[in-house]
Amino acid sequence: MSKPKDMGSAPRPQLFDFDGVAMINAFTDNWENVQNFQARPDDIVVATYPKAGTTWVSYILDLLYFGQTAPERQTSIPIYARVPFLEIAYSNPDEGINFVGVDIVKNLTTSPRLIKTHLPVQFLPKSFWEHNCKIVYVARNAKDNMVSYYHFDRMNTVQPAPGEWEDFFQRFLNGKMVFGSWYDHVNGWWQKKKTYSNLHYMFFEDLAENTELEIKKLCSFLGLSVSPEIRQHITGQVQFDNMKKNDMANYSTLAVMDFKTSPFMRKGKVGDWKNHFTEAQNETFDEDYKQKMKDPTLNFRTLL
Ligand code: PPS
């Protein structure tokens, strides 16, 4: 797939308020079909705020379920087709792109279906709850999440333009990001976990610290029996450097992303915020964080 000719100057979408959550058209245009989506009891949802480790966990899930039985899909189907993005509805006829997440999920022939969403908890289609589907939520500390999102908005032409870092920083604190406030998102899903037992809440930082242990916990949640050898093998396959050079996992096949500006697999680190935040920004951030994050049971690590 070729890159858009005028990628640098392509018009960027505008944010608007959607029931209290900042959104862009690409994620609301197919709203009714998304909300009426019919889940199956064995569907597995991977839910995240953007840039929290969605692709990492999607790839782990795909390997756990299909790595042994359908190894060919690892070298032939991009991760975004194996684990479709439920709410996306984006088309660009010039580039031959027509992504309607709901339809892509419906056309999956594998079982279970692995489904990606960035929806805040209150927007998840109700059929998933009714069928008591397993949900894996991945959260990443706000500072690194913000930095990753900034670089993503620079390189992804279907996202709003990030503007200057200082402005982006402020917008993130104000929750004016696509899919809304990080604070509301991670909190909303955390509160849900208290009443919905089929929700496994993971942290990017834990995955970075001990990937194999996190895979083990994930298997236990999913009820999967996976041998230590296979678990170790998957741990190797999903290391950052391996995913970065894997064209079926690194998004290099998507024309709307400008890898010359920033790669999708950028650094994959905990603590990169230190290279972006000024001291003043860090103080502002920490003060604001205390006001917004009141639940003492939800703790993030910003360094390992
Ligand atoms: S998206 O667009 O919301 O689906 O993006 P998402 O996949 O959630 O997040 C992308 C960030 O995750 C990093 N990543 C990884 N880090 C470490 N190890 C592995 N295997 C890995 N895979 C993805 C990716 O590099 C992005 O983070 P940054 O900090 O920008 O590098």
Side-chain angles (χ1 to χ4, degrees):
M1 204 184 279
S2 65
K3 302 273 181 193
K5 291 156 213 68
D6 58 349
M7 185 177 268
S9 58
R12 296 293 197 105
Q14 295 295 315
L15 278 176
F16 54 86
D17 180 78
F18 188 77
D19 269 347
V21 177
M23 280 293 217
I24 55 174
N25 283 112
F27 305 120
T28 59
D29 276 357
N30 199 29
W31 198 248
E32 231 167 274
N33 289 326
V34 171
Q35 288 305 308
N36 292 327
F37 178 78
Q38 290 306 302
R40 294 182 194 155
D42 64 343
D43 283 344
I44 311 275
V45 178
V46 53
T48 60
Y49 189 73
K51 313 320 290 178
T54 331
T55 314
W56 200 357
V57 173
S58 297
Y59 191 37
I60 291 171
L61 288 170
D62 193 73
L63 287 167
L64 284 172
Y65 281 102
F66 308 115
Q68 304 302 306
T69 51
E72 70 290 347
R73 73 196 245 118
Q74 304 305 331
T75 50
S76 58
I77 310 175
I79 192 67
Y80 51 82
R82 284 183 258 161
V83 186
F85 189 177
L86 184 67
E87 58 272 21
I88 199 166
Y90 175 80
S91 70
N92 182 338
D94 291 346
E95 291 299 326
I97 297 176
N98 185 25
F99 282 134
V100 180
V102 166
D103 295 343
I104 302 172
V105 175
K106 284 182 188 162
N107 287 333
L108 287 177
T109 52
T110 41
S111 158
R113 302 184 299 188
L114 306 174
I115 303 171
K116 158 182 168 173
T117 183
H118 288 317
L119 291 172
V121 68
Q122 70 275 21
F123 287 166
L124 191 77
K126 65 175 186 315
S127 182
F128 289 110
W129 307 119
E130 288 166 354
H131 288 289
N132 199 29
C133 294
K134 287 197 163 68
I135 302 175
V136 179
Y137 186 80
V138 193
R140 184 179 193 181
N141 82 78
K143 294 180 180 180
D144 283 326
N145 207 139
M146 184 197 302
V147 168
S148 181
Y149 212 162
Y150 171 69
H151 290 291
F152 185 64
D153 281 3
R154 289 173 58 232
M155 62 84 85
N156 186 347
T157 56
V158 302
Q159 283 281 116
E164 295 301 319
W165 164 248
E166 176 65 37
D167 300 333
F168 188 89
F169 173 88
Q170 201 50 58
R171 237 172 4 95
F172 186 95
L173 266 54
N174 295 340
K176 301 292 182 233
M177 298 276 122
V178 181
F179 292 103
S181 155
W182 176 92
Y183 309 87
D184 293 347
H185 208 284
V186 299
N187 266 309
W189 281 97
W190 183 256
Q191 299 313 320
K192 189 73 188 182
K193 186 176 97 77
K194 295 178 179 172
T195 55
Y196 185 81
S197 59
N198 257 351
L199 174 54
H200 181 64
Y201 202 106
M202 301 176 71
F203 294 91
F204 182 100
E205 294 73 29
D206 294 345
L207 255 181
E209 188 174 60
N210 191 338
T211 310
E212 195 182 340
L213 178 64
E214 290 307 305
I215 295 177
K216 199 173 172 189
K217 289 196 229 162
L218 189 57
C219 288
S220 158
F221 166 70
L222 297 167
L224 292 176
S225 153
V226 172
S227 71
E229 291 72 32
I230 291 177
R231 209 167 52 225
Q232 277 153 23
H233 185 59
I234 293 176
T235 301
Q237 284 174 287
V238 304
Q239 288 312 296
F240 181 78
D241 291 342
N242 287 338
M243 281 183 65
K244 188 177 170 77
K245 61 181 182 228
N246 177 348
D247 284 346
M248 293 299 116
N250 65 17
Y251 275 83
S252 58
T253 46
L254 260 199
V256 296
M257 295 187 184
D258 177 8
F259 277 56
K260 287 203 284 298
T261 300
S262 182
F264 183 91
M265 296 286 170
R266 195 182 56 88
K267 287 194 183 173
K269 293 256 183 298
V270 178
D272 187 40
W273 62 271
K274 287 211 150 207
N275 298 315
H276 292 75
F277 279 44
T278 63
E279 255 177 58
Q281 284 173 336
N282 200 30
E283 275 173 32
T284 306
F285 179 95
D286 288 346
E287 201 43 53
D288 178 74
Y289 193 86
K290 270 189 242 149
Q291 303 306 317
K292 289 181 175 138
M293 300 293 284
K294 297 283 191 197
D295 186 339
T297 64
L298 178 55
N299 295 303
F300 285 88
R301 293 187 288 167
T302 56
L303 292 172
L304 290 182

